[in-house]
């Protein structure tokens, strides 16, 4: 079926590459790929008897024959009311305790088909953990590059899955650079949650699940933590698809949240810029999972937020601390990065209608912040 033919495509240069090649970025601009892929409409009434994981949205997903084999039952996380107008989607209840499993399972299923010598990932923690787990499930050799100083519990989890860990001195960007160099070696599949667009087609199931849970409707506002923007861009993909197929009438606002300490996208957004104009000044933050000074998909993130009439919010370290304790007192123990959206929603003026925040990673991974 022609509409299901897929290729990598650079959103800037429009250069295409077959998805069965190991070419991890656009050869001209070295930017991340998109996937030239057209989803088919998902039929809401047909969903009830399907598999209880994100693989139930099969029409929306790029064809991945090894998906069911590699699956660990990811997805279908609960939506829980926090206040009259704010609900939380508990994405920390995933096989590796973070939302990254949504994308990692796609990359592992894709890599399983390509049979590379090594699968390589770089991550401040959660994505590396997810790739290690799904790589183990798929029987693939995995190596994960992490910044020095990454939480010991995260490293322990990565190693427990059989992946090798390479600790790179310096900041997150130094780790990304080292990984990109290693990714150019022959036989390496770069399982990058930033560069490989299969990841975004996994994270988009976050919104398909909201749509199903709310019986074919969507919340008025979807708040998402943004570092590289992988959940936000997945959400934007799903909103486009649901809209294009006539499955929703309205488009929720996408509200992006960054830590004030590392907020290049929020600064660019409020300056009216289409891209990052200069490297952002950064300070240490408790929200290590979204501390990304120069996200490669910045342009796409800014455009996606503007297209929905959304905005950017930032949160302080004190607000993160307070939000983590507040959620814990409500029965939800969430890691510091994962509480940023709840912190932001509490500090901002209330928005009309239903707002959904994701709680992206489990508190057990990092403990209570000091
Ligand atoms: Zn390009």
């Amino acid at each position: 079926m022609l509409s299901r033919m897929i290729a990598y495509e650079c959103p800037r240069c429009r250069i295409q590459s077959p998805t069965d090649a190991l070419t991890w970025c656009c050869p001209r601009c070295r930017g991340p790929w998109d996937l030239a892929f057209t989803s088919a409409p998902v039929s809401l009434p047909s969903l009830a008897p399907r598999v209880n994981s994100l693989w139930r949205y099969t029409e929306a997903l790029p064809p991945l024959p090894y998906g069911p084999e590699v699956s660990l039952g990811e997805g279908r996380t609960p939506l829980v009311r926090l206040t009259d107008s704010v609900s939380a989607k508990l994405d920390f209840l995933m096989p590796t305790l973070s939302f990254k499993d949504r994308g990692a399972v796609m990359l592992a299923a894709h890599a399983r088909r390509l049979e590379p010598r090594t699968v390589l990932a770089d991550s401040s923690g959660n994505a590396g953990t997810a790739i290690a787990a799904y790589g183990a499930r798929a029987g693939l050799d995995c190596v994960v590059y992490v910044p020095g100083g990454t939480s010991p519990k995260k490293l322990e989890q990565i190693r427990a899955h059989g992946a090798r860990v390479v600790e790179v001195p310096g900041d997150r960007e130094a780790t990304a650079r080292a990984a990109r160099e290693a990714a150019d070696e022959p036989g390496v599949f770069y399982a990058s949650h930033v560069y490989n667009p299969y990841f975004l087609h996994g994270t988009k199931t976050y919104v398909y699940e909201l749509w199903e849970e709310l019986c074919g409707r969507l919340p008025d506002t979807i708040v998402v933590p943004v570092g590289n923007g992988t959940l936000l861009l997945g959400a934007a993909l799903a909103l486009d698809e649901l809209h294009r197929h006539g499955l929703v009438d309205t488009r929720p606002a996408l509200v992006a949240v960054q830590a004030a300490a590392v907020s290049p996208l929020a600064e660019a957004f409020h300056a009216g810029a289409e891209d990052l104009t200069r490297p952002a000044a950064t300070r240490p933050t408790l929200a290590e999972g979204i501390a990304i000074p120069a996200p490669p998909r910045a342009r796409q993130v800014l455009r996606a937020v503007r297209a929905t009439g959304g905005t950017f919010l930032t949160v302080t370290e004190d607000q993160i601390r307070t939000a983590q304790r507040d959620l814990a007192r409500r029965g939800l123990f969430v890691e510091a990065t994962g509480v940023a959206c709840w912190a932001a929603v509490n500090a901002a003026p209330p928005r009309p209608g239903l707002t959904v925040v994701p709680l992206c990673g489990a508190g057990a991974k990092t403990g209570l912040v000091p």
Side-chain angles (χ1 to χ4, degrees), residues 222-248:
I222 297 177
V223 188
V224 183
V226 171
N228 277 304
T230 53
L231 182 54
L232 184 128
L233 290 172
L237 263 178
L239 296 182
D240 281 346
E241 291 176 1
L242 289 166
H243 204 258
R244 184 170 352 108
H245 294 310
L247 296 171
V248 289

Side-chain angles (χ1 to χ4, degrees), residues 53 55 67-74 94-96 101 105 130 133-134 137:
S53 75
W55 294 96
E69 183 183 309
V70 170
S71 174
L72 292 165
E74 57 288 331
M94 287 277 194
T96 77
D101 292 3
V105 70
Y134 284 91
R137 175 75 164 170

Side-chain angles (χ1 to χ4, degrees), residues 155-178:
L155 299 185
E156 190 179 301
Q157 197 182 351
I158 292 169
R159 290 194 177 107
H161 292 306
R164 282 164 288 133
V165 171
V166 176
E167 286 195 68
V168 181
D171 60 7
R172 178 69 183 79
E173 186 48 35
T175 301
R177 270 197 308 274

Side-chain angles (χ1 to χ4, degrees), residues 135-191:
R137 175 75 164 170
L140 297 162
D141 177 71
C142 278
V143 58
V144 182
Y145 283 49
V146 301
T150 297
S151 315
K153 275 187 189 287
K154 288 182 177 173
L155 299 185
E156 190 179 301
Q157 197 182 351
I158 292 169
R159 290 194 177 107
H161 292 306
R164 282 164 288 133
V165 171
V166 176
E167 286 195 68
V168 181
D171 60 7
R172 178 69 183 79
E173 186 48 35
T175 301
R177 270 197 308 274
R180 288 195 292 262
E181 270 171 39
D184 283 331
E185 287 169 24
V188 175
F189 175 75
Y190 187 21

Side-chain angles (χ1 to χ4, degrees), residues 41 67 73 118 208 321 326:
T118 295
Y208 275 92
R321 254 182 222 105
D326 175 64

Side-chain angles (χ1 to χ4, degrees), residues 44-70:
L44 191 60
S46 75
L47 289 175
R50 295 193 188 183
V51 62
N52 188 30
S53 75
L54 57 77
W55 294 96
R56 66 203 272 108
Y57 308 109
T58 176
E59 299 91 334
L61 298 175
L64 288 165
Y66 290 103
E69 183 183 309
V70 170

Side-chain angles (χ1 to χ4, degrees), residues 113-126:
R113 185 171 53 177
L114 303 182
E115 297 182 331
R117 179 171 55 82
T118 295
V119 170
L120 181 148
D122 63 306
S123 164
S124 52
N126 282 333

Side-chain angles (χ1 to χ4, degrees), residues 272-358:
E274 287 180 11
D275 205 343
L276 298 187
T277 45
R278 59 188 165 82
T282 62
R283 286 166 279 131
T285 175
L286 296 165
E288 63 177 16
I290 51 173
I292 312 292
R297 293 190 186 270
R299 248 184 128 76
Q300 290 178 308
V301 171
L302 291 166
R303 195 184 313 131
V305 171
R306 289 199 176 102
T308 65
T311 189
F312 267 83
L313 302 173
T314 57
V315 291
T316 65
E317 301 301 296
D318 274 348
Q319 286 170 329
I320 290 171
R321 254 182 222 105
T322 305
Q324 192 189 34
R325 282 166 171 74
D326 175 64
L327 279 172
R329 297 230 168 85
R330 295 166 187 261
L332 298 163
F333 193 36
V334 180
E335 71 172 15
T337 304
V339 306
C341 289
W342 177 236
V345 163
N346 279 318
R351 299 178 70 95
L354 175 64
T355 292
V356 170
V357 299

